[in-house]
Amino acid sequence: MYFKSHLTILFCLATCVRCLTSPEPNPGKGEKENGKITILYTIRNNLATPKFEYEQNVTSKAGQPFIRFMEQAADNDKNFQFSSTYYAKLGYFIQKLGKETSREGVLGLSYWQFLRAPSTVLPVGVSTYIPQDGDHIILDYVLQGNCVQN
Protein backbone atom coordinates (compact mmCIF):
# COMPACT_ATOMS: atom_id res chain seq x y z
CA MET A 1 0.00 0.00 0.00
CA TYR A 2 2.80 2.39 0.94
CA PHE A 3 4.59 1.68 -2.37
CA LYS A 4 1.39 2.13 -4.39
CA SER A 5 0.67 5.54 -2.75
CA HIS A 6 4.15 6.79 -3.60
CA LEU A 7 3.78 5.63 -7.20
CA THR A 8 0.47 7.51 -7.46
CA ILE A 9 2.07 10.69 -6.09
CA LEU A 10 5.06 10.37 -8.46
CA PHE A 11 2.71 9.82 -11.41
CA CYS A 12 0.72 12.96 -10.51
CA LEU A 13 3.90 15.04 -10.12
CA ALA A 14 5.30 13.76 -13.43
CA THR A 15 2.01 14.60 -15.15
CA CYS A 16 1.98 18.13 -13.68
CA VAL A 17 5.62 18.75 -14.66
CA ARG A 18 4.91 17.46 -18.19
CA CYS A 19 1.95 19.84 -18.50
CA LEU A 20 4.07 22.79 -17.37
CA THR A 21 7.00 22.04 -19.65
CA SER A 22 5.09 21.04 -22.78
CA PRO A 23 1.58 22.44 -22.67
CA GLU A 24 -1.03 21.54 -25.22
CA PRO A 25 -1.14 23.95 -28.17
CA ASN A 26 -3.32 26.87 -27.24
CA PRO A 27 -3.70 29.61 -29.83
CA GLY A 28 -2.61 32.93 -28.38
CA LYS A 29 -3.20 36.46 -29.52
CA GLY A 30 -3.04 36.69 -33.29
CA GLU A 31 -3.09 32.94 -33.92
CA LYS A 32 -5.88 31.17 -35.71
CA GLU A 33 -7.33 27.88 -34.52
CA ASN A 34 -5.54 25.93 -37.29
CA GLY A 35 -2.14 27.20 -36.09
CA LYS A 36 -1.60 29.35 -39.18
CA ILE A 37 -1.58 33.11 -39.61
CA THR A 38 -1.79 35.40 -42.62
CA ILE A 39 0.34 38.48 -43.10
CA LEU A 40 0.68 40.99 -45.94
CA TYR A 41 4.26 41.08 -47.23
CA THR A 42 5.51 43.95 -49.42
CA ILE A 43 8.87 44.40 -51.11
CA ARG A 44 9.62 47.75 -52.66
CA ASN A 45 12.51 49.36 -54.44
CA ASN A 46 12.17 53.02 -55.36
CA LEU A 47 15.93 53.52 -55.26
CA ALA A 48 17.61 51.54 -58.02
CA THR A 49 16.73 50.39 -61.53
CA PRO A 50 14.51 48.50 -62.14
CA LYS A 51 12.13 49.97 -59.58
CA PHE A 52 9.37 47.68 -58.32
CA GLU A 53 6.78 47.02 -55.64
CA TYR A 54 5.13 43.66 -55.00
CA GLU A 55 2.68 42.49 -52.37
CA GLN A 56 1.27 39.15 -51.39
CA ASN A 57 -0.67 37.61 -48.56
CA VAL A 58 1.35 34.81 -47.01
CA THR A 59 -0.25 32.17 -44.82
CA SER A 60 2.08 30.03 -42.79
CA LYS A 61 2.57 28.41 -39.39
CA ALA A 62 2.26 30.78 -36.43
CA GLY A 63 5.21 31.27 -34.11
CA GLN A 64 7.96 30.98 -36.67
CA PRO A 65 10.42 33.72 -37.71
CA PHE A 66 9.71 36.00 -40.64
CA ILE A 67 12.42 34.37 -42.80
CA ARG A 68 10.08 31.34 -43.12
CA PHE A 69 7.32 33.63 -44.47
CA MET A 70 9.86 35.02 -46.94
CA GLU A 71 10.62 31.49 -48.11
CA GLN A 72 6.90 30.77 -48.53
CA ALA A 73 6.46 33.99 -50.53
CA ALA A 74 9.41 33.06 -52.77
CA ASP A 75 7.86 29.63 -53.37
CA ASN A 76 4.57 31.31 -54.36
CA ASP A 77 5.98 34.06 -56.60
CA LYS A 78 9.43 34.35 -58.21
CA ASN A 79 9.35 38.15 -57.70
CA PHE A 80 9.88 37.45 -53.98
CA GLN A 81 12.99 35.31 -54.45
CA PHE A 82 15.93 36.47 -52.38
CA SER A 83 19.51 35.72 -51.49
CA SER A 84 20.96 35.99 -48.03
CA THR A 85 24.02 35.28 -45.95
CA TYR A 86 23.77 33.62 -42.56
CA TYR A 87 25.88 34.90 -39.65
CA ALA A 88 26.05 32.60 -36.60
CA LYS A 89 25.14 35.10 -33.89
CA LEU A 90 23.14 37.53 -36.01
CA GLY A 91 20.97 35.42 -38.30
CA TYR A 92 20.22 36.08 -41.97
CA PHE A 93 21.31 39.23 -43.79
CA ILE A 94 19.22 39.89 -46.93
CA GLN A 95 21.43 40.80 -49.87
CA LYS A 96 19.12 40.70 -52.87
CA LEU A 97 15.36 40.66 -53.04
CA GLY A 98 13.00 40.65 -55.99
CA LYS A 99 14.28 41.67 -59.37
CA GLU A 100 18.01 42.16 -59.74
CA THR A 101 18.81 45.75 -58.83
CA SER A 102 21.53 47.85 -60.37
CA ARG A 103 23.65 49.99 -58.08
CA GLU A 104 24.29 52.38 -60.98
CA GLY A 105 23.43 55.91 -59.89
CA VAL A 106 23.07 54.86 -56.22
CA LEU A 107 25.64 56.67 -54.12
CA GLY A 108 26.10 55.47 -50.55
CA LEU A 109 25.32 52.36 -48.56
CA SER A 110 22.02 50.77 -49.56
CA TYR A 111 20.23 47.96 -47.74
CA TRP A 112 16.83 46.31 -47.21
CA GLN A 113 15.08 48.08 -44.33
CA PHE A 114 12.75 45.89 -42.25
CA LEU A 115 9.45 47.60 -41.34
CA ARG A 116 6.03 46.88 -39.89
CA ALA A 117 3.54 49.07 -41.75
CA PRO A 118 3.07 51.87 -41.93
CA SER A 119 6.56 52.97 -40.79
CA THR A 120 7.81 51.15 -37.70
CA VAL A 121 11.42 50.08 -38.15
CA LEU A 122 11.70 46.68 -36.52
CA PRO A 123 14.51 46.45 -33.95
CA VAL A 124 15.29 42.82 -34.88
CA GLY A 125 16.00 41.02 -38.12
CA VAL A 126 14.13 38.59 -40.34
CA SER A 127 15.55 35.63 -38.38
CA THR A 128 14.19 36.88 -35.07
CA TYR A 129 10.92 38.71 -35.74
CA ILE A 130 7.82 36.55 -35.12
CA PRO A 131 4.90 37.94 -37.17
CA GLN A 132 1.39 38.19 -35.76
CA ASP A 133 -1.79 37.51 -37.71
CA GLY A 134 -2.65 40.56 -39.82
CA ASP A 135 0.83 42.14 -39.74
CA HIS A 136 1.91 44.08 -42.81
CA ILE A 137 5.66 43.62 -43.20
CA ILE A 138 7.66 45.71 -45.65
CA LEU A 139 11.19 45.28 -46.92
CA ASP A 140 12.17 48.61 -48.45
CA TYR A 141 15.39 49.23 -50.40
CA VAL A 142 16.87 52.41 -48.91
CA LEU A 143 20.07 54.41 -48.55
CA GLN A 144 21.66 54.65 -45.14
CA GLY A 145 20.68 57.99 -43.66
CA ASN A 146 17.44 58.19 -45.73
CA CYS A 147 15.51 55.60 -43.76
CA VAL A 148 12.16 55.77 -42.00
CA GLN A 149 12.45 56.45 -38.27
CA ASN A 150 10.04 55.36 -35.53
Coordinates of all heavy atoms in Angstrom, one line a residue, residues 56-116:
Q56 N 2.0 40.4 -51.4 CA 1.3 39.2 -51.4 C 0.9 38.8 -50.0 O 1.6 39.2 -49.0 CB 2.0 38.0 -52.1 CG 3.1 37.3 -51.3 CD 3.5 36.0 -51.9 OE1 2.9 34.9 -51.7 NE2 4.6 36.1 -52.7
N57 N -0.3 38.2 -49.8 CA -0.7 37.6 -48.6 C 0.0 36.3 -48.4 O 0.0 35.5 -49.4 CB -2.2 37.4 -48.5 CG -2.9 38.7 -48.4 OD1 -2.6 39.5 -47.5 ND2 -3.9 38.9 -49.2
V58 N 0.6 36.1 -47.3 CA 1.4 34.8 -47.0 C 0.7 34.2 -45.8 O 0.6 34.8 -44.7 CB 2.9 35.1 -46.8 CG1 3.6 33.7 -46.6 CG2 3.5 35.8 -47.9
T59 N 0.3 32.9 -45.9 CA -0.3 32.2 -44.8 C 0.7 31.1 -44.5 O 1.1 30.3 -45.4 CB -1.6 31.6 -45.2 OG1 -2.5 32.6 -45.5 CG2 -2.2 30.8 -44.0
S60 N 1.1 31.0 -43.2 CA 2.1 30.0 -42.8 C 1.9 29.8 -41.3 O 1.1 30.4 -40.6 CB 3.5 30.5 -43.1 OG 4.4 29.4 -43.0
K61 N 2.7 28.8 -40.8 CA 2.6 28.4 -39.4 C 2.9 29.6 -38.4 O 3.9 30.3 -38.6 CB 3.5 27.3 -39.2 CG 3.5 26.7 -37.8 CD 4.5 25.5 -37.7 CE 4.6 25.0 -36.3 NZ 5.7 24.0 -36.2
A62 N 2.0 29.8 -37.4 CA 2.3 30.8 -36.4 C 3.5 30.4 -35.6 O 3.8 29.3 -35.4 CB 1.0 30.9 -35.6
G63 N 4.1 31.5 -35.1 CA 5.2 31.3 -34.1 C 6.6 31.1 -34.7 O 7.5 30.8 -34.0
Q64 N 6.7 31.2 -36.0 CA 8.0 31.0 -36.7 C 8.5 32.3 -37.1 O 7.8 33.3 -37.3 CB 7.9 30.0 -37.8 CG 7.0 30.4 -39.0 CD 6.9 29.4 -40.0 OE1 7.7 28.5 -40.1 NE2 5.8 29.4 -40.8
P65 N 9.8 32.4 -37.3 CA 10.4 33.7 -37.7 C 10.0 34.1 -39.1 O 9.6 33.3 -40.0 CB 11.9 33.5 -37.6 CG 12.1 32.0 -37.6 CD 10.8 31.4 -37.1
F66 N 10.1 35.4 -39.4 CA 9.7 36.0 -40.6 C 10.4 35.4 -41.8 O 9.9 35.3 -42.9 CB 9.9 37.5 -40.6 CG 9.4 38.2 -41.9 CD1 8.1 38.2 -42.2 CD2 10.4 38.7 -42.8 CE1 7.7 38.8 -43.4 CE2 9.9 39.3 -44.0 CZ 8.6 39.3 -44.3
I67 N 11.7 35.0 -41.7 CA 12.4 34.4 -42.8 C 11.6 33.2 -43.4 O 11.7 33.0 -44.6 CB 13.9 33.9 -42.4 CG1 14.7 33.5 -43.6 CG2 13.8 32.8 -41.3 CD1 15.3 34.6 -44.3
R68 N 10.9 32.5 -42.6 CA 10.1 31.3 -43.1 C 8.9 31.9 -44.0 O 8.6 31.2 -45.0 CB 9.5 30.5 -42.0 CG 10.6 29.9 -41.1 CD 11.5 28.9 -41.9 NE 12.7 28.7 -41.1 CZ 13.9 29.0 -41.5 NH1 14.2 29.5 -42.7 NH2 15.0 28.7 -40.7
F69 N 8.4 33.0 -43.6 CA 7.3 33.6 -44.5 C 7.9 34.1 -45.8 O 7.3 34.0 -46.8 CB 6.7 34.8 -43.7 CG 5.7 34.3 -42.6 CD1 6.3 34.0 -41.4 CD2 4.4 34.3 -42.8 CE1 5.4 33.5 -40.4 CE2 3.5 33.8 -41.8 CZ 4.1 33.5 -40.6
M70 N 9.2 34.6 -45.7 CA 9.9 35.0 -46.9 C 10.1 33.8 -47.9 O 9.9 34.0 -49.1 CB 11.2 35.7 -46.6 CG 11.1 37.0 -45.9 SD 12.7 37.7 -45.5 CE 13.4 38.1 -47.1
E71 N 10.4 32.7 -47.3 CA 10.6 31.5 -48.1 C 9.3 31.1 -48.8 O 9.3 30.7 -50.0 CB 11.2 30.4 -47.2 CG 12.6 30.6 -46.8 CD 13.0 29.6 -45.7 OE1 12.2 29.0 -45.1 OE2 14.2 29.6 -45.4
Q72 N 8.2 31.1 -48.0 CA 6.9 30.8 -48.5 C 6.5 31.7 -49.7 O 6.0 31.3 -50.7 CB 5.9 30.8 -47.4 CG 4.4 30.5 -47.8 CD 4.2 29.1 -48.2 OE1 4.8 28.2 -47.5 NE2 3.5 28.8 -49.2
A73 N 6.8 33.0 -49.5 CA 6.5 34.0 -50.5 C 7.3 33.7 -51.8 O 6.8 33.8 -52.9 CB 6.7 35.4 -50.0
A74 N 8.5 33.4 -51.6 CA 9.4 33.1 -52.8 C 8.9 31.8 -53.5 O 9.0 31.7 -54.7 CB 10.9 32.9 -52.3
D75 N 8.4 30.8 -52.8 CA 7.9 29.6 -53.4 C 6.6 30.0 -54.2 O 6.4 29.4 -55.2 CB 7.5 28.6 -52.3 CG 8.7 27.9 -51.7 OD1 9.8 28.0 -52.3 OD2 8.6 27.3 -50.6
N76 N 5.8 30.9 -53.7 CA 4.6 31.3 -54.4 C 4.8 32.2 -55.6 O 3.9 32.2 -56.5 CB 3.6 32.1 -53.4 CG 3.2 31.2 -52.2 OD1 3.3 30.0 -52.3 ND2 2.8 31.8 -51.2
D77 N 5.8 33.0 -55.6 CA 6.0 34.1 -56.6 C 7.5 34.4 -56.8 O 8.1 34.8 -55.8 CB 5.2 35.3 -56.2 CG 5.3 36.5 -57.2 OD1 6.1 36.5 -58.1 OD2 4.5 37.4 -57.1
K78 N 8.0 34.2 -58.0 CA 9.4 34.3 -58.2 C 9.9 35.8 -58.0 O 11.1 36.0 -57.7 CB 9.8 33.9 -59.6 CG 9.2 34.8 -60.7 CD 9.7 34.3 -62.1 CE 9.1 35.3 -63.1 NZ 9.9 35.3 -64.3
N79 N 9.0 36.8 -58.0 CA 9.3 38.1 -57.7 C 9.8 38.3 -56.3 O 10.4 39.3 -55.9 CB 8.2 39.1 -58.0 CG 7.9 39.2 -59.5 OD1 8.8 39.4 -60.3 ND2 6.6 39.0 -59.8
F80 N 9.5 37.4 -55.4 CA 9.9 37.4 -54.0 C 11.1 36.6 -53.7 O 11.5 36.5 -52.5 CB 8.7 37.0 -53.1 CG 7.6 38.0 -53.0 CD1 6.7 38.1 -54.0 CD2 7.6 38.9 -51.9 CE1 5.7 39.1 -53.9 CE2 6.6 39.9 -51.8 CZ 5.6 40.0 -52.8
Q81 N 11.8 36.1 -54.7 CA 13.0 35.3 -54.5 C 14.1 36.2 -53.9 O 14.1 37.4 -54.2 CB 13.5 34.6 -55.7 CG 12.5 33.5 -56.2 CD 13.0 32.9 -57.5 OE1 13.8 33.4 -58.2 NE2 12.4 31.7 -57.7
F82 N 14.9 35.7 -53.0 CA 15.9 36.5 -52.4 C 17.2 35.7 -52.2 O 17.2 34.4 -52.3 CB 15.4 37.0 -51.0 CG 15.1 35.9 -50.0 CD1 16.1 35.5 -49.1 CD2 13.9 35.2 -50.0 CE1 15.8 34.5 -48.2 CE2 13.6 34.3 -49.1 CZ 14.6 33.9 -48.2
S83 N 18.3 36.4 -51.9 CA 19.5 35.7 -51.5 C 19.9 36.3 -50.2 O 19.6 37.5 -49.9 CB 20.6 35.9 -52.6 OG 20.9 37.2 -52.7
S84 N 20.6 35.5 -49.4 CA 21.0 36.0 -48.0 C 22.3 35.3 -47.6 O 22.7 34.3 -48.2 CB 19.9 35.7 -47.0 OG 19.7 34.3 -46.9
T85 N 22.8 35.9 -46.6 CA 24.0 35.3 -45.9 C 23.7 35.1 -44.5 O 23.1 36.0 -43.9 CB 25.2 36.2 -46.1 OG1 25.5 36.4 -47.5 CG2 26.5 35.6 -45.4
Y86 N 24.0 33.9 -44.0 CA 23.8 33.6 -42.6 C 25.0 33.9 -41.7 O 26.1 33.5 -42.0 CB 23.3 32.2 -42.4 CG 23.1 31.8 -41.0 CD1 21.9 32.2 -40.3 CD2 24.0 31.1 -40.2 CE1 21.7 31.9 -39.0 CE2 23.8 30.7 -38.9 CZ 22.6 31.2 -38.3 OH 22.4 30.8 -37.0
Y87 N 24.8 34.6 -40.6 CA 25.9 34.9 -39.6 C 25.5 34.2 -38.3 O 24.4 34.5 -37.8 CB 26.1 36.4 -39.5 CG 26.6 37.1 -40.7 CD1 25.7 37.7 -41.6 CD2 27.9 37.1 -41.0 CE1 26.1 38.3 -42.8 CE2 28.4 37.7 -42.2 CZ 27.5 38.3 -43.1 OH 27.9 38.9 -44.2
A88 N 26.4 33.4 -37.8 CA 26.0 32.6 -36.6 C 25.3 33.3 -35.5 O 24.3 32.8 -35.0 CB 27.3 32.0 -36.1
K89 N 25.8 34.5 -35.0 CA 25.1 35.1 -33.9 C 24.1 36.2 -34.3 O 23.5 36.7 -33.4 CB 26.2 35.7 -33.0 CG 27.1 34.6 -32.4 CD 28.1 35.1 -31.4 CE 28.9 34.0 -30.9 NZ 30.0 34.4 -30.0
L90 N 24.0 36.5 -35.6 CA 23.1 37.5 -36.0 C 21.9 37.1 -36.8 O 20.9 37.7 -36.9 CB 23.9 38.5 -36.9 CG 25.1 39.2 -36.2 CD1 25.9 40.0 -37.2 CD2 24.6 40.1 -35.0
G91 N 22.1 35.9 -37.5 CA 21.0 35.4 -38.3 C 21.2 35.8 -39.8 O 22.3 36.0 -40.2
Y92 N 20.1 35.9 -40.5 CA 20.2 36.1 -42.0 C 20.3 37.6 -42.3 O 19.6 38.4 -41.8 CB 19.0 35.5 -42.7 CG 19.0 34.0 -42.7 CD1 18.4 33.2 -41.7 CD2 19.7 33.3 -43.7 CE1 18.4 31.9 -41.7 CE2 19.8 31.9 -43.6 CZ 19.1 31.2 -42.7 OH 19.1 29.8 -42.7
F93 N 21.2 37.9 -43.2 CA 21.3 39.2 -43.8 C 20.8 39.2 -45.2 O 21.4 38.4 -46.0 CB 22.8 39.7 -43.7 CG 23.0 41.0 -44.4 CD1 22.6 42.2 -43.7 CD2 23.6 41.1 -45.6 CE1 22.9 43.4 -44.3 CE2 23.8 42.3 -46.2 CZ 23.4 43.5 -45.6
I94 N 19.8 39.9 -45.6 CA 19.2 39.9 -46.9 C 20.1 40.7 -47.9 O 20.3 41.9 -47.6 CB 17.8 40.4 -46.9 CG1 16.9 39.6 -45.9 CG2 17.2 40.4 -48.3 CD1 16.9 38.1 -46.2
Q95 N 20.6 40.1 -48.9 CA 21.4 40.8 -49.9 C 20.7 41.3 -51.1 O 20.8 42.4 -51.5 CB 22.6 39.9 -50.3 CG 23.5 39.6 -49.1 CD 24.5 38.5 -49.5 OE1 24.2 37.5 -50.1 NE2 25.7 38.8 -49.1
K96 N 19.9 40.4 -51.7 CA 19.1 40.7 -52.9 C 17.7 40.2 -52.7 O 17.5 39.2 -52.0 CB 19.7 40.0 -54.1 CG 21.1 40.6 -54.5 CD 21.6 39.9 -55.7 CE 23.0 40.4 -56.0 NZ 23.6 39.7 -57.1
L97 N 16.8 41.0 -53.2 CA 15.4 40.7 -53.0 C 14.6 41.1 -54.3 O 14.8 42.2 -54.8 CB 14.8 41.4 -51.8 CG 13.4 41.2 -51.4 CD1 13.1 39.7 -51.1 CD2 13.1 42.0 -50.1
G98 N 13.8 40.3 -54.8 CA 13.0 40.6 -56.0 C 13.9 40.7 -57.2 O 14.9 40.0 -57.3
K99 N 13.5 41.5 -58.1 CA 14.3 41.7 -59.4 C 15.7 42.2 -59.1 O 15.9 42.9 -58.1 CB 13.6 42.7 -60.3 CG 12.3 42.2 -60.8 CD 11.7 43.2 -61.8 CE 10.3 42.7 -62.3 NZ 9.7 43.7 -63.1
E100 N 16.6 41.7 -59.9 CA 18.0 42.2 -59.7 C 18.1 43.7 -59.8 O 17.5 44.3 -60.7 CB 18.9 41.6 -60.9 CG 20.3 41.8 -60.7 CD 20.9 41.0 -59.6 OE1 20.4 39.9 -59.3 OE2 21.9 41.4 -59.1
T101 N 18.7 44.3 -58.8 CA 18.8 45.8 -58.8 C 20.2 46.2 -59.2 O 21.2 45.5 -58.9 CB 18.5 46.3 -57.4 OG1 19.4 45.8 -56.5 CG2 17.1 46.1 -57.1
S102 N 20.3 47.3 -59.9 CA 21.5 47.8 -60.4 C 21.9 48.9 -59.4 O 21.1 49.7 -58.9 CB 21.4 48.5 -61.8 OG 22.5 49.3 -62.0
R103 N 23.2 49.0 -59.0 CA 23.7 50.0 -58.1 C 24.1 51.2 -58.9 O 24.5 52.2 -58.3 CB 24.8 49.5 -57.3 CG 24.4 48.3 -56.4 CD 24.8 48.4 -54.9 NE 25.7 49.4 -54.5 CZ 25.4 50.5 -53.8 NH1 24.1 50.7 -53.4 NH2 26.3 51.3 -53.4
E104 N 23.9 51.2 -60.2 CA 24.3 52.4 -61.0 C 23.5 53.6 -60.6 O 22.2 53.5 -60.5 CB 24.0 52.1 -62.5 CG 24.5 53.1 -63.4 CD 24.4 52.8 -64.8 OE1 24.5 51.6 -65.2 OE2 24.2 53.7 -65.7
G105 N 24.1 54.7 -60.3 CA 23.4 55.9 -59.9 C 23.1 56.0 -58.4 O 22.6 57.0 -57.9
V106 N 23.4 54.9 -57.7 CA 23.1 54.9 -56.2 C 24.4 55.1 -55.5 O 25.3 54.3 -55.5 CB 22.5 53.5 -55.8 CG1 22.3 53.5 -54.3 CG2 21.2 53.2 -56.5
L107 N 24.4 56.3 -54.9 CA 25.6 56.7 -54.1 C 25.4 56.5 -52.6 O 24.4 56.9 -52.1 CB 26.0 58.1 -54.4 CG 26.2 58.5 -55.8 CD1 26.4 60.0 -56.0 CD2 27.4 57.8 -56.4
G108 N 26.3 55.7 -52.0 CA 26.1 55.5 -50.6 C 25.8 54.0 -50.3 O 25.6 53.2 -51.2
L109 N 25.6 53.7 -49.0 CA 25.3 52.4 -48.6 C 23.8 52.1 -48.6 O 23.0 52.8 -48.0 CB 25.8 52.2 -47.1 CG 25.6 50.8 -46.5 CD1 26.3 49.7 -47.2 CD2 26.0 50.8 -45.0
S110 N 23.4 51.1 -49.4 CA 22.0 50.8 -49.6 C 21.8 49.4 -48.9 O 22.7 48.6 -48.8 CB 21.6 50.7 -51.0 OG 22.4 49.8 -51.8
Y111 N 20.6 49.2 -48.4 CA 20.2 48.0 -47.7 C 18.7 47.8 -47.7 O 18.0 48.7 -48.0 CB 20.8 47.9 -46.3 CG 20.2 48.9 -45.4 CD1 19.2 48.6 -44.5 CD2 20.6 50.3 -45.4 CE1 18.6 49.5 -43.6 CE2 20.1 51.2 -44.6 CZ 19.1 50.8 -43.7 OH 18.5 51.8 -42.9
W112 N 18.3 46.6 -47.3 CA 16.8 46.3 -47.2 C 16.4 46.6 -45.8 O 16.8 45.9 -44.8 CB 16.5 44.8 -47.6 CG 16.7 44.6 -49.0 CD1 17.8 44.1 -49.7 CD2 15.8 44.9 -50.1 NE1 17.6 44.1 -51.0 CE2 16.4 44.6 -51.3 CE3 14.5 45.5 -50.1 CZ2 15.7 44.8 -52.5 CZ3 13.9 45.7 -51.3 CH2 14.5 45.3 -52.5
Q113 N 15.6 47.7 -45.6 CA 15.1 48.1 -44.3 C 13.9 47.2 -44.0 O 13.0 47.0 -44.8 CB 14.7 49.6 -44.3 CG 14.3 50.1 -43.0 CD 14.1 51.6 -43.0 OE1 13.4 52.1 -43.9 NE2 14.7 52.3 -42.1
F114 N 13.8 46.8 -42.7 CA 12.7 45.9 -42.3 C 11.7 46.7 -41.4 O 12.0 47.2 -40.4 CB 13.4 44.8 -41.4 CG 12.6 43.6 -41.0 CD1 11.7 43.1 -41.9 CD2 12.8 43.1 -39.8 CE1 10.9 42.0 -41.5 CE2 12.1 41.9 -39.4 CZ 11.1 41.4 -40.2
L115 N 10.5 46.8 -41.9 CA 9.4 47.6 -41.3 C 8.2 46.8 -41.1 O 7.8 45.9 -41.8 CB 9.1 48.7 -42.3 CG 10.1 49.6 -42.8 CD1 9.6 50.4 -44.1 CD2 10.6 50.6 -41.8
R116 N 7.4 47.3 -40.1 CA 6.0 46.9 -39.9 C 5.2 48.1 -40.3 O 5.5 49.2 -39.7 CB 5.7 46.4 -38.5 CG 4.3 45.9 -38.3 CD 4.0 45.4 -36.9 NE 4.3 46.3 -35.9 CZ 5.1 46.1 -34.8 NH1 5.6 44.9 -34.7 NH2 5.3 47.0 -34.0

